[in-house]
Amino acid sequence: MKYIEIEFSLKPLEMYSEILQSDLCDIGFESFQDTNEGFLAYCQEGLFNQMKLNALIERFIVLNPDVDMSTKTKEIEQQDWNAEWEKSYPAVLINNYCYVHANFHQPLEEVEYNIEISPKMSFGTAHHPTTFQIIELLENENLVGKDLMDMGSGTGVLAILAKMKGAAYVEAIDNDEWAFKNALENVEANKFDVRVRYGDSGLLDRDYDVFIANINRNILLQDLKKYSQHIKSGGILFLSGFYIEDISILMDEALKYGFSLDNQISKENWAALRLIKK
Ligand SMILES: C[S@@+](CC[C@H](N)C(=O)[O-])C[C@H]1O[C@@H](n2cnc3c(N)ncnc32)[C@H](O)[C@@H]1O
């Protein structure tokens, strides 16, 4: 599969890079790699829309006149763009209860849940606040005997943790082929029984006690109704992948389907929610 790579150079870099990446996700870009001057952004060739990108850049420049930005475009074959980072990245310890590490790190004996992940470009090493916060929220969640969905599973890290915490049935769905294959590998490496599927909310065919979706604001808004149809009464929905300022729009949508907000946390402007279904 061919990909479009856009090299963004930004001055100043801090803060604007995150905002721009979030906007790029909305028009089909799926992965990013930081550089000294900015970042590289990747989009599948079939999803790439030059007009949408031009409009996004124009709007960004109008809204952020202080930013000096330039771009370079390349067409490339799909590859593991994170390969160098993945050879030596640091492990992540969450609240001293869960340690997400690679096969080149020693597990921590004093930690209850050690999860080995080989990310192969997929999202889900716990470095990102969206993953980190769901793992934080799961710390006090009793999953024993529960049926759980991990929608937008990336590496499968949340599904693996759920199984470790005693969930009875765990399913992981991702609409990215690399992520799907990567989750299969990680589930295998951790020796847990998780049903891993390639697709999206259209695959949902049973009901869950706990439903996790760490994706992004627009997909969540689009798919919340479908998720709600597959969450049992009294069930829990964890949402992540959006900014604090998006909470109200997501809650407006969730209220329509009988959810109430039980807990909300935030980290570096990213928010994560725990909702309960009536
Ligand atoms: C933010 S990552 C989360 C990965 C992992 N669950 C974690 O918490 O680190 C979002 C994942 O959702 C997947 N995704 C995007 N749109 C989706 C959709 N409509 N349905 C299912 N998965 C989707 C992406 O491929 C990506 O792997």
Side-chain angles (χ1 to χ4, degrees):
M1 185 190 296
K2 286 218 162 56
Y3 268 71
I4 301 295
E5 177 193 87
I6 314 264
E7 184 180 342
F8 284 88
S9 302
L10 289 171
K11 264 192 219 146
L13 190 56
E14 293 79 29
M15 186 173 126
Y16 291 110
S17 148
E18 203 166 86
I19 296 170
L20 191 53
Q21 288 181 15
S22 161
D23 290 347
L24 288 165
C25 283
D26 291 344
I27 63 164
F29 281 78
E30 61 182 55
S31 78
F32 305 95
Q33 191 185 323
D34 289 336
T35 63
N36 288 339
E37 273 85 44
F39 59 88
L40 300 168
Y42 298 94
C43 182
Q44 285 178 28
E45 190 185 34
L47 298 177
F48 179 66
N49 183 323
Q50 185 71 55
M51 283 189 12
K52 281 191 183 169
L53 179 66
N54 292 346
L56 183 155
I57 290 175
E58 274 171 31
R59 198 189 59 212
F60 186 81
I61 290 171
V62 170
L63 291 175
N64 304 287
D66 303 342
V67 186
D68 185 6
M69 176 166 71
S70 64
T71 58
K72 269 189 228 150
T73 304
K74 252 200 243 166
E75 189 183 287
I76 52 167
E77 288 295 334
Q78 183 167 24
Q79 54 184 273
D80 187 347
W81 297 294
N82 284 331
E84 278 310 306
W85 182 78
E86 286 167 7
K87 279 183 203 157
S88 60
Y89 68 89
V92 181
L93 178 63
I94 301 105
N95 292 3
N96 287 322
Y97 99 99
C98 178
Y99 187 59
V100 181
H101 66 90
N103 59 3
F104 48 80
H105 301 118
Q106 280 302 317
L108 295 181
E109 267 176 36
E110 65 277 22
V111 169
E112 197 170 358
Y113 303 106
N114 277 282
I115 306 179
E116 184 183 310
I117 292 293
S118 304
K120 305 246 177 85
M121 210 175 69
S122 306
F123 196 112
T125 51
H127 289 84
H128 199 272
T130 60
T131 315
F132 192 99
Q133 290 186 99
I134 293 286
I135 296 178
E136 269 193 316
L137 286 171
L138 288 179
E139 181 176 6
N140 296 317
E141 193 72 33
N142 179 3
L143 298 180
V144 177
K146 303 277 171 67
D147 288 353
L148 181 141
M149 163 55 62
D150 177 10
M151 181 61 75
S153 44
T155 59
V157 61
L158 303 176
I160 293 167
L161 177 60
K163 204 65 200 168
M164 286 176 163
K165 283 180 65 75
Y169 172 84
V170 178
E171 196 173 323
I173 293 181
D174 202 292
N175 72 348
D176 175 80
E177 202 181 345
W178 273 55
F180 158 70
K181 288 185 182 157
N182 182 236
L184 277 176
E185 286 171 13
N186 288 319
V187 161
E188 184 101 332
N190 286 275
K191 300 190 174 49
F192 278 106
D193 177 20
V194 173
R195 184 180 183 204
V196 183
R197 302 172 79 190
Y198 173 39
D200 56 22
S201 59
L203 292 182
L204 291 169
D205 54 8
R206 56 190 286 163
D207 296 344
Y208 303 90
D209 303 295
V210 180
F211 197 112
I212 303 172
N214 173 13
I215 307 188
N216 63 46
R217 187 191 73 160
N218 290 353
I219 298 289
L220 296 178
L221 284 172
Q222 173 198 294
D223 284 356
L224 257 173
K225 183 175 181 187
K226 188 86 183 155
Y227 299 165
S228 75
Q229 290 162 353
H230 292 275
I231 299 173
K232 296 177 191 171
S233 176
I236 306 299
L237 171 62
F238 289 101
L239 295 179
S240 186
F242 47 89
Y243 294 122
I244 295 172
E245 54 267 31
D246 298 323
I247 294 177
S248 59
I249 189 172
L250 280 159
M251 277 316 301
D252 287 348
E253 190 65 13
L255 286 170
K256 289 186 201 162
Y257 311 118
F259 290 100
S260 59
L261 181 59
D262 173 66
N263 191 8
Q264 92 180 51
I265 56 174
S266 62
K267 187 173 190 303
E268 296 162 28
N269 203 35
W270 292 94
L273 309 178
R274 181 183 191 270
L275 311 180
I276 303 178
K277 189 169 175 209
K278 249 195 230 134

